[in-house]
Amino acid sequence: MQLLLVGMFVYGFVTRAPKIVTNAGIGVVVTFLPAILRRNLRVTLDPFLTLWVTAAVFFHAVGSAGAYYQIWWYDHFTHALSASVVAAIGYVTLRSLIIYSDAIHIPRRFLAVYILIFVTAFGVIWEVLEYGLDVLSARTGIEMPLSQFGLEDTMNDLMFNLLGALIVAVWGQLYLSRVTERLHADRAHDG
């Protein structure tokens, strides 16, 4: 996927497609984060977690290269996938705080609610950002890396964000709890 992202980046650069360059470029950078975390912080991410994050940025870059416009369900798929990554990040962050601090106690059954709220808030902020970029694009004539396609698109995006969050809230907590505890065990062993 990393090589394909680099290929998309080069293609976007050669064809002067700033949307493809931006999204593929950000995708390439994100794919290096696991190695940077391992080298700089001695945090080794689970291979499935690395694949999950890489898949999200990869499929988004493919979407910006044309799949969003050619495949009717592609935007729904990428929103659900990306939202599941956001849900995982929110969950692991909160579980880390719970592990590190005796002052924080949140019942496990509330964590599913937290995941849904976290992803909804992130999704709303994302949609506001897209709207702002659309306004900026209209005023400057510069193509932006993200765009909205009206109210129905925004509502669909938010609904599929919730679907991704719900999948993590229902099925992902067990996996992510093990990942979080393994990360903290590794950090305690190194520290």
Side-chain angles (χ1 to χ4, degrees), residues 12-118:
F13 187 78
V14 169
T15 61
R16 297 181 183 189
K19 189 177 276 194
I20 296 172
V21 168
T22 302
N23 289 301
I26 290 170
V28 169
V29 169
V30 168
T31 65
F32 282 105
L33 289 178
I36 292 168
L37 288 171
R38 186 173 44 252
R39 186 189 70 218
N40 294 352
L41 301 175
R42 292 183 311 250
V43 172
T44 302
L45 295 182
D46 180 89
F48 178 77
L49 190 57
T50 301
L51 177 62
W52 190 1
V53 171
T54 302
V57 296
F58 173 77
F59 286 117
H60 174 66
V62 169
S64 71
Y68 287 137
Y69 309 104
Q70 297 171 353
I71 304 170
W72 70 267
W73 51 265
Y74 198 85
D75 185 47
H76 305 324
F77 165 71
T78 58
H79 266 274
L81 180 61
S82 297
S84 72
V85 171
V86 170
I89 291 167
Y91 179 82
V92 168
T93 301
L94 183 60
R95 285 285 297 144
S96 296
L97 292 172
I98 291 168
I99 289 171
Y100 273 124
S101 175
D102 293 333
I104 300 174
H105 174 72
I106 298 173
R108 274 202 180 279
R109 65 182 171 269
F110 180 74
L111 291 175
V113 174
Y114 164 78
I115 290 169
L116 294 174
I117 292 169
F118 183 82

Side-chain angles (χ1 to χ4, degrees), residues 146-158:
L146 304 169
S147 53
Q148 272 185 324
F149 300 100
L151 181 60
E152 184 176 345
D153 174 62
T154 299
M155 292 301 106
N156 280 327
D157 290 351
L158 292 173

